[in-house]
Amino acid sequence: KEDGRVSSVAVQQLMEQISYTNKAKVIDHIGGVKEGAYEIYNCVEKIIKQDILGCEMTELESKDLGNKEEFAAPEEVVFGDVLWDAHDEQEQMEAFQQASNSAYELGFEKYFERLNDLVAAPAPIPPLLVSGGPGSGKSLLLSKWIQLQQKHSPNTLILYHFVGRPMSTSSESALIIKRLTLKLMQHSWLVSPLTLDPAKLLEEFPRWLEKLSARHQGSIIIIIDSIDQIQQAEKHMKWLIDPLPVNVRVIVSVNVETCPQAWRLWPTLHLDPLNPKDVKSLISAECDSANVKLTKEQEKKLERHCRSATTCNALYVTLLGKTIARVGNTGNMDETLQQCFQCQDTVSLYRLVLRSIQESLQSDKEKGFLREILCVIGVSHNGVSESELMELYPELSSALLASLVHSLHKMCLLTYGCGLLKFQHLQAWEMVRLEYMEEGENVISVYRQKLVEYFTMQLSRDQVTWRSADELPWLFQQQGDKQKLHKCLLNLFVSQNLYKRGHFAELLSYWQLVGKDKSSMAAEYFDSLKEYEKSCEGEESMICLADLYETLGRFLKDLGLLSQAVAPLQRSLEIRETALDPDHPRVAQSLHQLAGVYVQWKKFGNAEQLYKQALEISENAYGAEHPRVARELDALATLYQKQNKYEQAEQLRKKSFKIRQKAARRKGSLCGFALLRQRALQLEELTLGKDTPDNARTLNELGVLYYLQNNLETAELFLKRSLEMRERVLGCEHPDCAQSLNNLAALYNEKRHYDKAEELYERALDIRRRALAPDHPSLAYTVKHLAVLYKKMGKLDKAVPLYELAVEIRQKSFGPKHPSVATALVNLAVLYCQMKKQVEALPLYERALKIYEDSFGQMHPRVGETLKNLAVLSYERGDFEKAAELYKRAMEIKEAETLLIGGKATSRHSSSGDTFSLKSALSPNIFLEHGQR
């Protein structure tokens, strides 16, 4: 529009067309095409982040960014201080959609029942293994079941991850664990510091799962598809062998041939080959879609052919149906069928498909382009975009590319993910390697070099996009060219792009490959930045420099190099104060990051002063009820909690929670509260009738729902009504009454009414002891939380018998030599140490050590932790020689673990704290139980 008027008739017509819908976004812009494209990009990015992913992004920040050059890394989305990559999340959403794309369920009903039984089974339960050959339909089964669960069990939180090709970003273990943890945190409304160090991330995940699952009112299901494709899966996914929290179920899928031996003992759901009826319906559906009719004789031949294990799996039959449909009524169907019958597995059928596409091309030049496209995609890290292909091959016309991509996509060879073309199935990738790369590394290196040259050229234009950062270092790694990799890493914008998108583990692995330790890496980055600073002139380049210094400081902080992190963060702060304004929001960001280093350094006074400054700037810039203000409040609350200032911490957390709650209501992107209110109203209508067990259960659910909305007074009202109704209808000794007592106790615990909580927990425990089996999960649940409450209240003598009972329950549930029993023994030993009863603690630690050694081996981290506890105990008893010997063994295990994983991990436990985080025991928390459905 110009001066408020539409500039042409064509634009006027377009505006009239879209004015009738609320689904169109109009962007007013006068100026060049490049600036217009930038406006559109910003708008679409904001829609994706806010409305689809539910992330925070402030208008003030997007205005600040202005028309930056493309090489500046995008502003990250912040969950606490955790870096989040929208690309990784989008890739997973697309992978799920692709997996569930088929309209056919292939007789999956019997498998759905087995999966439902797993969710309903009493805890503890190991992960369920879904196994089958390549292309047997594992991804399809899991995605269809996820859709059913989402529809029928809205209270169930389902976290999924679909692993793509080996060596791709989706198979990186640290990124998978980080993503699952962040999704849990996002759902739990928990904002808390999360390490990016891959070793610590993998080590701490079980504790995050324990902590966050306790906050969720309902089941949590974690699904990892193709888990065997994860790099070093057995080592990096060792949390799977630990006992899972009561409300958590895990399902993983594997190929039969590549399943780790240790996992084969888990309960397994094996996908059978398709039966003749499913084969026929699948092929008929493909033929019907193309109006192709088969004769009875042809159908019989197909039925006879699809009887072996390799010719009646879902992918093979789908591909077979598509091949027949592609020939249509115009080609020689009998000849095509004869060619298909020669293909005894999916890879050979893919080869036939590729040759049929080749034959449809008119010239050798077009066939050459087909080969180039598939090979370039095959050697890339995460795929290649259509625009990149056009730039790689200037002679390739857009019409030919569109035609080739359409054919390859239709025949299940290629798919899209994050706008990149990649192989739809592993067998398609394998076929391309056999067809075009049989000469081996020579051919592969030629195509890798082509990509290297292309992305290097991108760097030389000072355009470090996420694509350059994703592909170039990885390609150098694959080539084994350490010198070029080193040079690439010292391009500050490449490292910034990887780090700000949360690819910390990847960045660290590249530095380890070039043989640099953390300190020398830090020094080289700092030197590069100093050199770059000499060329910076003008406000924009100085703002960009400040971003680079901040990224380096955060990176060093995550590496544990606190003293080296201060200088770059301080420099970033100085530049922003000078180039922008002392009260600018970016200055608050610098203050926040610098304070985070001082917190880790235990310089709490310095940190508090910086956080308060950041809070003041954020309130002035955004207003008192902005999510950025909530972030500073959370940071201050965490700081006060570390200093045992629990009341101050609690006040700030409540204030922060209210801000986030209001922001979610305003935004509408996180519609959880709206859904909860709607569900609460429906439930209230149901409770207007007379006293019945069902109505009592509904009242209990309402109490839980109102708690989730932080409406504790209303929650208390409904939980009390539920208890009273249950006592009237079922009697005071019924297990359902114990549930209501337990929930009310948890509510009073949250409100710090510890005496009331204690009385109710004791009543619930008394009922459950008499009504339930000695190893029942609900009994264990009440025992655990009453024990923690006693400990919190300083009633250690009362806590002891409950910790002893916890040991008994676990022994009955798992057997006397299970690692879970060892954990309970350590908890009891810790309690005795706090009571100065070292004599009683010693045999418990020793027994736990024996169980851990027998279960995990002599060099497992849990063995090391227990040795360290024993060392402290021996030292306190005056046995210095034994203490030194035990501590030496503990350190050997820690060093071995550090070498193995490639990171420095701090010890999780000492003799003065629970094996479970003491912090979680002291933080305000509630453990509410839903009624059984």
Side-chain angles (χ1 to χ4, degrees):
K1 294 180 181 180
E2 292 175 7
D3 301 325
R5 296 180 183 179
V6 175
S7 58
S8 71
V9 176
V11 174
Q12 177 68 49
Q13 289 172 346
L14 178 66
M15 296 294 286
E16 285 172 2
Q17 279 181 304
I18 65 171
S19 63
Y20 298 109
T21 176
N22 62 352
K23 294 185 179 178
K25 177 75 178 172
V26 180
I27 302 169
D28 288 342
H29 173 70
I30 303 169
V33 173
K34 189 174 179 182
E35 290 82 7
Y38 187 83
E39 289 284 328
I40 293 166
Y41 175 86
N42 274 346
C43 180
V44 173
E45 181 184 47
K46 193 172 175 184
I47 290 167
I48 290 169
K49 286 183 174 179
Q50 288 191 344
D51 299 342
I52 299 174
L53 298 179
C55 307
E56 296 167 6
M57 193 175 175
T58 67
E59 285 183 24
L60 200 61
E61 275 187 334
S62 54
K63 286 174 187 169
D64 281 343
L65 292 173
N67 255 349
K68 279 195 176 185
E69 295 297 318
E70 279 186 49
F71 59 73
E75 186 68 16
E76 74 276 6
V77 179
V78 180
F79 287 89
D81 280 335
V82 180
L83 304 170
W84 176 271
D85 186 10
H87 291 293
D88 293 345
E89 190 57 28
Q90 182 188 341
E91 183 181 43
Q92 282 304 309
M93 291 162 74
E94 288 178 357
F96 173 65
Q97 290 301 326
Q98 183 197 316
S100 58
N101 214 12
S102 172
Y104 325 113
E105 295 193 357
L106 309 174
F108 280 167
E109 291 78 8
K110 58 183 178 182
Y111 301 131
F112 290 155
E113 285 177 20
R114 178 76 191 277
L115 290 167
N116 291 338
D117 289 345
L118 168 88
V119 176
I125 186 166
L128 178 73
L129 210 60
V130 176
S131 77
S136 56
K138 300 181 292 293
S139 304
L140 176 62
L141 167 68
L142 291 175
S143 58
K144 290 287 186 186
W145 184 72
I146 289 170
Q147 288 177 326
L148 285 173
Q149 284 291 311
Q150 288 171 335
K151 183 179 177 182
H152 298 301
S153 305
N155 287 336
T156 299
L157 172 61
I158 300 177
L159 305 176
Y160 59 78
H161 189 91
F162 288 82
V163 180
R165 203 175 77 183
M167 305 291 286
S168 67
T169 301
S170 66
S171 67
E172 171 103 28
S173 55
L175 278 176
I176 294 169
I177 294 299
K178 187 195 78 171
R179 180 177 169 271
L180 293 175
T181 309
L182 286 176
K183 297 294 279 184
L184 272 169
M185 287 170 70
Q186 185 184 11
H187 189 85
S188 306
W189 291 73
L190 179 71
V191 179
S192 185
L194 181 69
T195 180
L196 290 182
D197 185 319
K200 290 182 185 176
L201 196 63
L202 294 165
E203 181 184 337
E204 290 174 5
F205 181 67
R207 284 185 291 162
W208 277 110
L209 192 58
E210 175 87 23
K211 181 178 180 178
L212 295 168
S213 64
R215 297 170 69 97
H216 180 67
Q217 311 311 313
S219 299
I220 296 174
I221 301 171
I222 298 174
I223 296 170
I224 304 178
D225 181 49
S226 301
I227 194 171
D228 48 326
Q229 302 298 335
I230 292 173
Q231 299 156 32
Q232 297 179 295
E234 202 168 356
K235 182 177 87 173
H236 291 146
M237 294 287 144
K238 58 186 177 184
W239 59 274
L240 288 168
I241 64 172
D242 291 341
L244 296 164
V246 173
N247 60 334
V248 175
R249 300 289 182 272
V250 174
I251 302 168
V252 297
S253 75
V254 293
N255 279 335
V256 178
E257 301 87 354
T258 52
C259 177
Q261 193 62 40
W263 297 358
R264 293 175 188 261
L265 300 173
W266 294 344
T268 303
L269 172 61
H270 186 77
L271 268 61
D272 299 322
L274 298 183
N275 60 44
K277 183 184 172 185
D278 287 331
V279 169
K280 185 178 179 181
S281 66
L282 200 52
I283 292 173
S284 297
E286 291 292 347
C287 290
D288 290 346
S289 67
N291 292 319
V292 173
K293 298 293 180 189
L294 296 173
T295 65
K296 292 288 183 187
E297 185 59 31
Q298 287 168 342
E299 286 181 356
K300 283 181 182 176
K301 285 181 181 178
L302 280 167
E303 189 182 328
R304 282 198 296 271
H305 173 66
C306 297
R307 283 183 177 172
S308 71
T310 54
T311 60
C312 61
N313 78 38
L315 178 56
Y316 182 94
V317 175
T318 302
L319 205 53
L320 185 61
K322 286 183 181 292
T323 305
I324 294 166
R326 180 180 167 82
V327 173
N329 296 311
T330 54
N332 187 330
M333 184 60 73
D334 288 325
E335 186 182 331
T336 301
L337 288 176
Q338 201 54 43
Q339 289 172 342
C340 291
F341 296 159
Q342 301 301 314
C343 304
Q344 292 299 315
D345 57 43
T346 308
V347 173
S348 58
L349 189 56
Y350 260 129
R351 186 174 264 181
L352 179 66
V353 167
L354 179 64
R355 285 175 183 166
S356 74
I357 294 172
Q358 285 172 336
E359 287 166 12
S360 69
L361 299 174
Q362 295 175 352
S363 66
D364 289 341
K365 189 176 181 181
E366 290 182 353
K367 291 174 185 176
F369 279 133
L370 175 64
R371 174 191 174 117
E372 295 295 304
I373 289 167
L374 290 172
C375 289
V376 163
I377 293 169
V379 301
S380 67
H381 187 197
N382 289 312
V384 181
S385 74
E386 290 182 38
S387 59
E388 287 165 353
L389 286 170
M390 297 286 283
E391 289 179 357
L392 280 161
Y393 302 101
E395 294 178 22
L396 176 63
S397 70
S398 56
L400 176 60
L401 178 60
S403 173
L404 289 173
V405 169
H406 174 72
S407 297
L408 294 167
H409 185 268
K410 189 176 180 182
M411 297 307 293
C412 301
L413 273 122
L414 295 184
T415 187
Y416 288 93
C418 275
L420 303 178
L421 288 165
K422 49 185 74 178
F423 290 109
Q424 201 166 120
H425 297 282
L426 280 172
Q427 292 93 321
W429 179 46
E430 183 64 29
M431 179 276 295
V432 168
R433 287 170 60 192
L434 291 171
E435 184 73 9
Y436 291 135
M437 302 179 186
E438 278 187 300
E439 295 168 37
E441 279 301 315
N442 291 337
V443 177
I444 293 170
S445 62
V446 168
Y447 286 106
R448 276 190 188 140
Q449 188 56 33
K450 192 168 187 69
L451 283 178
V452 163
E453 288 168 6
Y454 172 75
F455 287 113
T456 303
M457 186 176 66
Q458 298 289 321
L459 288 190
S460 68
R461 295 177 190 160
D462 275 342
Q463 288 185 322
V464 179
T465 61
W466 69 281
R467 290 290 298 131
S468 307
D470 264 6
E471 294 290 333
L472 200 51
W474 184 84
L475 287 163
F476 286 139
Q477 181 191 47
Q478 296 305 303
Q479 288 181 329
D481 194 332
K482 294 182 182 180
Q483 191 176 351
K484 286 184 179 175
L485 175 59
H486 188 201
K487 186 181 175 184
C488 180
L489 292 172
L490 287 175
N491 181 314
L492 299 165
F493 297 106
V494 169
S495 296
Q496 183 190 48
N497 195 297
L498 283 170
Y499 175 77
K500 291 190 90 169
R501 286 169 41 234
H503 291 223
F504 181 93
E506 191 179 339
L507 188 54
L508 206 55
S509 70
Y510 291 145
W511 276 105
Q512 287 167 349
L513 187 69
V514 297
K516 300 287 180 181
D517 62 18
K518 293 177 182 179
S519 296
S520 57
M521 172 177 60
E524 288 194 30
Y525 270 138
F526 206 70
D527 291 343
S528 294
L529 257 176
K530 285 287 182 191
E531 196 61 35
Y532 177 76
E533 188 170 351
K534 292 175 186 175
S535 65
C536 287
E537 292 178 6
E539 187 181 299
E540 269 198 31
S541 61
M542 290 305 289
I543 292 169
C544 184
L545 177 66
D547 288 348
L548 288 168
Y549 270 117
E550 184 188 283
T551 302
L552 176 59
R554 294 177 72 172
F555 184 50
L556 298 178
K557 183 184 82 170
D558 286 329
L559 286 170
L561 303 173
L562 302 181
S563 56
Q564 287 152 284
V566 171
L569 289 173
Q570 192 71 50
R571 182 70 186 122
S572 171
L573 175 61
E574 290 164 9
I575 294 169
R576 283 173 175 168
E577 283 180 330
T578 308
L580 296 167
D581 186 82
D583 291 328
H584 194 278
R586 288 288 182 91
V587 173
Q589 171 73 5
S590 287
L591 291 164
H592 180 95
Q593 296 302 334
L594 196 53
V597 175
Y598 284 127
V599 169
Q600 285 193 24
W601 221 347
K602 301 204 181 322
K603 295 188 176 183
F604 297 139
N606 301 38
E608 183 175 2
Q609 185 184 354
L610 293 170
Y611 277 139
K612 282 180 174 177
Q613 281 178 259
L615 176 61
E616 187 181 346
I617 293 170
S618 297
E619 283 178 335
N620 290 335
Y622 301 120
E625 294 191 341
H626 192 276
R628 289 280 163 157
V629 173
R631 185 175 78 139
E632 303 306 336
L633 291 169
D634 279 322
L636 265 172
T638 302
L639 177 65
Y640 287 142
Q641 192 160 317
K642 285 178 182 289
Q643 297 173 279
N644 300 328
K645 298 177 181 177
Y646 297 117
E647 283 189 27
Q648 288 167 272
E650 178 65 8
Q651 285 172 359
L652 293 176
R653 285 211 192 283
K654 283 184 175 175
K655 194 174 175 183
S656 164
F657 184 84
K658 284 177 182 174
I659 292 171
R660 292 180 187 281
Q661 190 175 349
K662 281 182 183 176
R665 283 182 184 143
R666 279 197 309 271
K667 228 168 26 176
S669 56
L670 293 172
C671 57
F673 282 98
L675 291 172
L676 287 173
R677 281 200 305 277
Q678 183 183 346
R679 177 80 176 123
L681 287 170
Q682 291 170 349
L683 290 170
E684 281 190 73
E685 287 175 17
L686 294 172
T687 57
L688 297 174
K690 46 190 158 179
D691 288 2
T692 67
D694 281 348
N695 279 351
R697 187 181 66 238
T698 302
L699 286 165
N700 181 68
E701 267 195 56
L702 270 169
V704 172
L705 286 167
Y706 277 113
Y707 166 73
L708 286 174
Q709 296 174 66
N710 207 33
N711 189 341
L712 299 186
E713 302 308 317
T714 310
E716 182 180 355
L717 179 72
F718 279 107
L719 290 173
K720 277 183 172 177
R721 279 181 61 194
S722 170
L723 175 60
E724 289 162 4
M725 190 179 289
R726 281 173 165 170
E727 286 178 338
R728 284 196 300 273
V729 175
L730 302 169
C732 295
E733 302 302 312
H734 195 278
D736 283 3
C737 293
Q739 185 192 54
S740 292
L741 288 164
N742 200 90
N743 287 346
L744 261 176
L747 185 76
Y748 288 133
N749 187 24
E750 169 76 356
K751 294 171 80 173
R752 296 181 176 274
H753 298 166
Y754 297 137
D755 291 338
K756 286 184 180 179
E758 179 185 5
E759 181 194 344
L760 295 171
Y761 270 138
E762 285 174 346
R763 282 178 61 193
L765 179 60
D766 187 51
I767 294 169
R768 285 180 167 171
R769 263 182 157 160
R770 281 184 274 110
L772 303 176
D775 58 349
H776 196 282
S778 293
L779 176 60
Y781 189 88
T782 306
V783 166
K784 173 183 171 181
H785 295 303
L786 181 55
V788 170
L789 180 64
Y790 280 149
K791 202 169 171 188
K792 192 188 294 185
M793 296 170 76
K795 298 184 177 182
L796 302 186
D797 289 330
K798 278 192 161 188
V800 168
L802 292 179
Y803 274 100
E804 288 172 343
L805 182 57
V807 174
E808 285 176 33
I809 290 172
R810 291 195 185 193
Q811 285 182 155
K812 285 172 183 168
S813 298
F814 307 115
K817 296 182 180 179
H818 195 277
S820 182
V821 175
T823 302
L825 290 165
V826 169
N827 286 342
L828 181 56
V830 166
L831 187 65
Y832 279 136
C833 285
Q834 288 182 319
M835 297 169 75
K836 308 297 181 193
K837 294 185 176 181
Q838 281 84 357
V839 176
E840 286 88 343
L842 183 61
L844 299 171
Y845 274 134
E846 288 172 341
R847 188 181 157 202
L849 178 64
K850 178 78 168 65
I851 294 171
Y852 282 145
E853 285 176 334
D854 291 346
S855 302
F856 300 131
Q858 299 278 337
M859 298 301 287
H860 193 274
R862 289 200 179 179
V863 173
E865 289 151 11
T866 312
L867 285 166
K868 194 174 176 185
N869 283 345
L870 272 168
V872 173
L873 193 60
S874 299
Y875 184 87
E876 288 171 353
R877 297 179 71 208
D879 192 344
F880 304 125
E881 192 175 331
K882 187 176 181 184
E885 180 192 333
L886 292 166
Y887 192 76
K888 184 184 174 188
R889 270 191 69 196
M891 287 304 98
E892 284 169 359
I893 293 170
K894 179 57 68 182
E895 284 165 17
E897 185 189 7
T898 303
L899 288 171
L900 185 68
I901 300 174
K904 184 182 171 190
T906 55
S907 176
R908 293 183 287 183
H909 315 309
S910 70
S911 66
S912 61
D914 251 350
T915 311
F916 298 112
S917 169
L918 272 175
K919 182 177 166 187
S920 65
L922 292 167
S923 64
N925 211 336
I926 189 162
F927 309 91
L928 295 170
E929 303 172 22
H930 276 296
Q932 294 297 314
R933 285 295 186 191

